[in-house]
Amino acid sequence: MSEEQIKNSWTEHSRSLEKEFDARIARDEKIEPKDWMPEKYRQTHIRQMSQHAHSEIVGMLPEGNWITRAPSLRRKVALLAKVQDEAGHGLYLYSATETLGISRDEMYEQLHTGKAKYSSIFNYPTLTWADMGAIGWLVDGAAIINQVPLCNTSYGPYARAMIRVCKEESFHQRQGYEIMMKLANGTPEQKEMAQDALNRWWWPSLMMLGPTDDKSVHTAQSMKWKLKRKTNDELRQQFIDQTVPQADLIGLTIPDPDLKWNEERGSYDFGEIDWDEFWQVVKGHGPMNKARMKARVDAWERGEWVRNAAMAHAEKKANRKQKQAV
Amino acid sequence: MSTKNWPLWEIFVRSKNGLEHRHCGSLHASDAEMALENARDVYTRRNEGVSIWVVESKHITASNPENNGELFEPAQDKVYRHPTFYDLPDEVKHM
C-alpha cells in the first residue's frame, strides 16, 4: 500500500469508529475511561470537567470569609459543612477528569496560570452575611439547574460524580434560602440587607447559566454528547420561573423592572442582561478575579512543604518496613 | 528538594455490612493511611459507609475494552447455562 492509501484507510477507520461512538451515545450507552473516544470528546470533557472542579474549589473562597463571622453556631456548622462539601465536589470532579489522562498537577497549573476558567460568579465580593443566603439560594440554585441534567451525561465518571454532587447540593440551597427568609422577616435593617444581597446577586446568577443560545458556541456539540440537555436560555427561564415565587414568598423584590408574568407563555418575561459585564468578568476584570487567584495560588504554594514532608515521611516509613522484613 | 506528587488511590466503600465494597472514586494521598483518612472525608461525609478499602491505582490491572469481543462474547451463545434452556413439563413443581 502506498502512503496515501494507508492514510486514507486510517481516516476511514477512525471515521467508522466515530460513527459507532456517536451511535452508542445516541443509544444512551455510557462511555468509560478506557473506551475509544474521539480526541475532541476527550478534550471537551477535560475542559468542562476541570472547569467545573475549579469552580467548586474557587467557590469556597467567597464563603470562607464568613465562616468565622457566622451569626450563630447553627449557621456556622451549616456553612462549614457546605464549604467542606464544595471541597469534596471539587475532588470528585478532579479525580473523574484524571480518568481522561490529564494529571491533577496539570489541572492546577492551568487554573493558577489563568489558562483554565472557573465560574465567573465567584469573582464578585461577599460584603454582608446576607450574601451567604443569596449565594446558597441563587448561586447554588442556578448551579443545581445546570447540574441535574449532567447526572445523565454520556461520560460515566462525570455522570457518577454529578449524581453525588446533586444529592449533596440541595441542602446548600435550602440553608441559603433559610438565611434569606430569616433576614427578610427580621428587623428593617436585616430585611434591607437581604434585599441588597438579592439586588447584587440576581443578575450575575442569571449570567451563570451561560451566554444566550445565539451566542453559545458549544451548544450543538454538547447536546449531541449529552453534556447538555437543555439550552442556556431554557435553563435560565426555568431558574427565573422557579425563583420569582420564592422571592415573593419572603417579601423580597427581584431587581428587574421588566419582570412580569406572561400568561400566554406560562413563564416570566424578564429584562435585558448586561452581557458586557459578563464578558468583562470572564476576561478577568471582575471585582475579585485577582484576589481569588492570589488566595488560591498562595494556598497551593504555602502548602508545598507540607506535601513534600508527607511524601518524605511515607517513603521513610516504607523503607523502614522493607528493612524490617529483610 | 524535588517535588514528588502524591500517588493516586482508588477508593472502595462498603455501605453496610452484608453488602460488597463498591468503587466510588479516587484521590491523592502520600500513603495508605492518609488515603484512608482522606477517603473518610471525601466519600463518607453522610454515613455512606462502614468500611473503606484503598488501593493504589497503579496496582489495578484492567481489561482492555478493545478485547471485549474475545473476552465476553463467547458467553453469549451459551444459553444452556440458563435454567430456561431446559424444557420441562408444567406439572413439575419447585424446580
Side-chain angles (χ1 to χ4, degrees):
Chain A
M1 265 201 286
S2 73
E3 207 170 298
E4 186 71 4
Q5 279 171 316
I6 293 173
K7 211 174 129 197
N8 283 345
S9 85
W10 178 250
T11 322
E12 203 149 295
H13 176 65
S14 66
R15 216 174 277 150
S16 82
L17 277 175
E18 198 158 336
K19 226 170 137 190
E20 169 54 22
F21 179 85
D22 289 343
R24 285 180 65 190
I25 293 182
R27 288 196 299 269
D28 263 333
E29 281 179 33
K30 298 289 181 201
I31 307 302
E32 293 296 343
K34 296 188 85 176
D35 292 346
W36 182 88
M37 61 185 80
E39 196 46 32
K40 190 154 179 247
Y41 181 91
R42 184 185 301 277
Q43 293 309 332
T44 302
H45 277 75
I46 288 178
R47 195 188 67 232
Q48 174 164 337
M49 291 166 68
S50 65
Q51 289 184 7
H52 196 161
H54 298 328
S55 301
E56 296 283 355
I57 298 302
V58 177
M60 291 190 281
L61 299 171
E63 293 171 315
N65 182 42
W66 283 96
I67 291 174
T68 54
R69 298 169 176 83
S72 69
L73 188 57
R74 184 177 188 275
R75 295 286 179 222
K76 185 172 178 162
V77 291
L79 186 58
L80 256 177
K82 177 178 193 280
V83 171
Q84 196 190 11
D85 273 351
E86 278 148 11
H89 297 173
L91 293 175
Y92 308 157
L93 288 162
Y94 278 131
S95 76
T97 316
E98 277 176 90
T99 63
L100 289 163
I102 184 171
S103 74
R104 184 77 57 103
D105 275 50
E106 279 173 88
M107 285 188 270
Y108 286 159
E109 174 78 15
Q110 289 178 353
L111 173 65
H112 296 164
T113 57
K115 189 178 167 230
K117 301 268 181 254
Y118 54 89
S119 184
S120 271
I121 194 94
F122 303 119
N123 292 318
Y124 290 88
T126 44
L127 304 177
T128 71
W129 170 251
D131 289 14
M132 295 305 98
I135 287 181
W137 175 33
L138 303 173
V139 177
D140 288 273
I144 291 169
I145 283 189
N146 251 334
Q147 289 170 350
V148 167
L150 289 172
C151 296
N152 289 312
T153 193
S154 63
Y155 189 54
Y158 195 21
R160 291 193 286 275
M162 289 318 300
I163 290 171
R164 298 182 67 93
V165 168
C166 288
K167 256 192 217 159
E168 298 179 352
E169 199 101 353
S170 80
F171 118 70
H172 298 184
Q173 197 190 10
R174 291 173 68 102
Q175 70 92 34
Y177 189 69
E178 198 195 70
I179 290 172
M180 290 303 259
M181 194 168 68
K182 200 87 180 172
L183 289 171
N185 291 324
T187 64
E189 289 81 6
Q190 285 171 325
K191 183 168 184 182
E192 201 185 308
M193 193 192 265
Q195 182 63 53
D196 168 65
L198 172 57
N199 292 350
R200 282 181 291 109
W201 291 95
W202 174 253
W203 293 103
S205 300
L206 296 190
M207 295 175 199
M208 252 183 96
L209 295 149
T212 50
D213 293 348
D214 52 327
K215 297 270 162 40
S216 172
V217 280
H218 303 298
T219 297
Q221 181 67 82
S222 297
M223 287 276 197
K224 195 170 98 185
W225 287 337
K226 299 182 176 167
L227 264 172
K228 235 182 198 168
R229 306 232 105 153
K230 287 182 181 171
T231 70
N232 295 349
D233 287 336
E234 287 170 334
L235 294 171
R236 190 162 15 248
Q237 187 70 61
Q238 184 187 338
F239 175 72
I240 293 169
D241 290 347
Q242 79 176 39
T243 309
V244 174
Q246 293 168 355
D248 290 345
L249 194 67
I250 54 176
L252 296 179
T253 310
I254 303 282
D256 178 359
D258 296 322
L259 187 82
K260 69 169 190 293
W261 179 250
N262 182 326
E263 194 64 54
E264 209 173 301
R265 289 200 306 125
S267 271
Y268 284 91
D269 292 335
F270 55 97
E272 196 72 36
I273 294 172
D274 181 0
W275 290 107
D276 285 343
E277 176 185 321
F278 174 76
W279 291 113
Q280 281 301 313
V281 181
V282 169
K283 284 177 189 143
H285 309 302
M288 298 299 280
N289 294 57
K290 289 202 178 76
R292 298 289 182 243
M293 249 335 88
K294 187 178 183 311
R296 177 62 210 146
V297 172
D298 283 352
W300 178 247
E301 286 175 354
R302 286 179 196 156
E304 190 180 8
W305 72 270
V306 180
R307 295 192 299 276
N308 288 341
M311 207 58 227
H313 176 68
E315 279 167 1
K316 196 170 93 181
K317 239 176 23 178
N319 285 340
R320 196 181 297 148
K321 210 168 161 186
Q322 208 170 21
K323 263 188 213 141
Q324 276 170 358
V326 181
Chain B
M1 183 178 168
S2 71
T3 304
K4 256 196 194 153
N5 294 331
W6 289 358
L8 188 66
W9 300 76
E10 300 301 323
I11 312 303
F12 301 81
V13 171
R14 184 204 293 286
S15 57
K16 62 177 189 185
N17 277 7
L19 294 177
E20 68 279 49
H21 285 78
R22 227 176 130 169
H23 183 247
C24 63
S26 56
L27 50 77
H28 289 269
S30 60
D31 61 15
E33 209 181 319
M34 188 197 278
L36 269 180
E37 284 165 3
N38 289 357
R40 168 199 175 265
D41 287 343
V42 178
Y43 292 107
T44 64
R45 288 193 302 283
R46 288 176 176 76
N47 293 316
E48 288 95 336
V50 295
S51 162
I52 302 173
W53 287 351
V54 300
V55 182
E56 209 180 323
S57 309
K58 69 176 184 196
H59 295 309
I60 291 183
T61 308
S63 66
N64 185 339
E66 277 170 33
N67 303 333
N68 275 8
E70 60 214 73
L71 277 177
F72 304 115
E73 270 167 27
Q76 277 173 14
D77 59 3
K78 300 192 172 43
V79 280
Y80 46 85
R81 285 179 176 153
H82 298 278
T84 46
F85 177 74
Y86 301 91
D87 291 323
L88 299 186
D90 291 342
E91 296 84 69
V92 184
K93 304 287 184 203
H94 307 297
M95 195 181 282

